[in-house]
Amino acid sequence: MTTYRNFINGQWVEASAGAVIENRNPANKDDLIGRFPHSNNKDVDAAVAAAADAWKSWRLFPAPRRAEILFRAAEMIAAHKEDFARDMTREMGKVLKEARGDVQEAVDMTYYMAGEGRRMFGQTTPAELPNKFAMSTRNPLGVCGMITPWNFPMAIPSWKIIPALVCGNTVVLKPSEDTPLSAVHFIEVLEKAGVPAGVVNLVLGSGSDVGVALTSHPGISVISFTGSTAVGKLVAESCAASFRHVHLEMGGKNVLMVMDDADIDLAVDGAIWGGFGTSGQRCTAASRVVVHKKVIAEFTQKFVERAKRLRVGDGLDPAIDVGPVINEKQLKRILEYVRIGQDERAKLLCGGNRLESGVHRNGWFLEPTIFGDVSPKMRIAQEEIFGPVVSVIPCDNLEQAIEIGNGVKYGLSAAIYTHDVNHAFQAMRDMHTGIFYVNSSTIGAEVHLPFGGTKSTGNGHREAGTAALDVFSEWKSIYIDYSGKLQKAQGID
Ligand code: NDP
């Protein structure tokens, strides 16, 4: 059994208190993934000190040279894709083809962001006076603290770490307690690719110990957090006290809208994939489907039929469609929402139960669950459940679908299924979400487009694309006067 370590100042080290946390496979509790450090604030102090020291030289390392290291890292992740994906399925349950997709996102992001090492464009602009030059440049901020969830264990750390590094920052990563192994793999790659000691540090442990220590640490310049809205609020409050930059990517209650002219089979495909992919544990999961009354009977019958045929089990088995949920706490929370839905008098159309016999006896498995006759204000249609539970909500027309779609506190992603281009454009304009899809499900993102949400999903920043550079750099405006004499501008400066 492997005991893993933190990575601080270029060394793999035990937690200062020597404590460890065991991590187990959610599809089979008997499968022990490894023992991982249970770190505390002393480990965070050491990691931040190393990152602060390393920043002195990393910020001056030319960006194209930083990029060369990152290109090497991208190649190494690609070379280990299958091993990393298998370990990911073991540690968090998603089916192997989705785990491969997660690793591939890290590859794509690393290649894409490394390219920024030769771009990272600033601006030049005319100056008011003769013989004066004006420009603005991007500058690194310092030590970035990163806190990540378990549902994309390699993609999300890469979406934060790579843009931070290419901009010239140094990093302390605290991944979820549930997925430390994927983070270890990712950091090992960066080490082997040649990232200098102290530039990237990994501190494993719980949110209440490591997470809190990181968000309140005076040596941190930026916190980038992805996780639930409730924890994001605590993170934002902690950062506000010292005006620390904070970037938040949080919960969702995403909607798929099916109009009366939609290709119903295509929409059912989208609802199955959006609702039950990653066992419904994606921030972009389609947990609400709003369907025009003229087609709701046909849609619901086909949707339920398909959901009942989904095979639930160990994600390493290629015949399996839906893996386990992440842990017992999440399983209980999801079952509690099933009870709430029934109490609210939504109609349970399929699923709703834990699977716990035979091949399912050792894991956290749930039946794919669909509620019909859901009204938009029910708790199951308002709150993020984060499991394989979908609410089908009827509507009369597009305007009502949009009103229902927007009628939640979150704003990550939305989709419409229609053949009417006017309806597609109207919904695209009026849905208050950060991501929108036409005739495609609510999930799936490409690394060169901004990713993030509105309202209680995000605080205005975006990951991916060049938008990520705005999180990890700040602008400096520079004026150069080469006239050699005092010049007076008009007006007030
Ligand atoms: P949590 O909010 O529970 O945890 C996220 C991270 O924060 C974990 O590393 C956790 O540590 C840490 N943490 C917990 N408490 C604190 C604290 N007080 N201070 C600092 N850090 C803390 O989310 P989950 O891991 O359960 O992930 C699921 C959530 O993430 C969902 O709400 C989902 O929508 C959201 N998400 C959003 C995305 C987006 O782009 N908008 C993308 C992916 C997920 P630990 O758990 O190890 O104790």
Side-chain angles (χ1 to χ4, degrees), residues 266-320:
L266 190 68
V268 168
D269 261 352
I272 288 285
W273 174 224
F276 304 119
T278 322
S279 309
Q281 304 169 118
R282 283 178 177 237
C283 49
T284 49
S287 53
R288 297 179 296 155
V289 187
V290 177
V291 190
H292 197 289
K293 281 180 183 159
K294 281 189 191 157
V295 293
I296 198 165
E298 181 190 354
F299 173 87
T300 307
Q301 181 246 320
K302 288 183 167 171
F303 184 34
V304 170
E305 199 179 287
R306 284 275 304 278
K308 282 182 176 167
R309 291 209 309 267
L310 291 171
R311 289 151 302 185
V312 180
D314 185 339
L316 286 175
D317 177 347
I320 291 300

Side-chain angles (χ1 to χ4, degrees), residues 101-125:
D102 192 310
V103 179
Q104 186 59 43
E105 278 196 19
V107 173
D108 294 344
M109 177 54 79
T110 307
Y111 275 127
Y112 169 72
M113 272 297 162
E116 282 303 322
R118 286 195 181 269
R119 287 188 294 267
M120 223 179 291
F121 299 129
Q123 300 152 334
T124 61
T125 180

Side-chain angles (χ1 to χ4, degrees), residues 130-173:
N131 300 323
K132 187 178 171 197
F133 191 84
M135 63 182 169
S136 57
T137 60
R138 285 189 184 276
N139 295 267
L141 289 135
V143 182
C144 303
M146 295 168 179
I147 301 174
T148 54
W150 45 264
N151 63 339
F152 282 87
M154 195 169 286
I156 293 179
S158 79
W159 285 37
K160 296 181 189 304
I161 292 175
I162 303 300
L165 292 183
V166 82
C167 287
N169 303 283
T170 54
V171 168
V172 179
L173 171 68

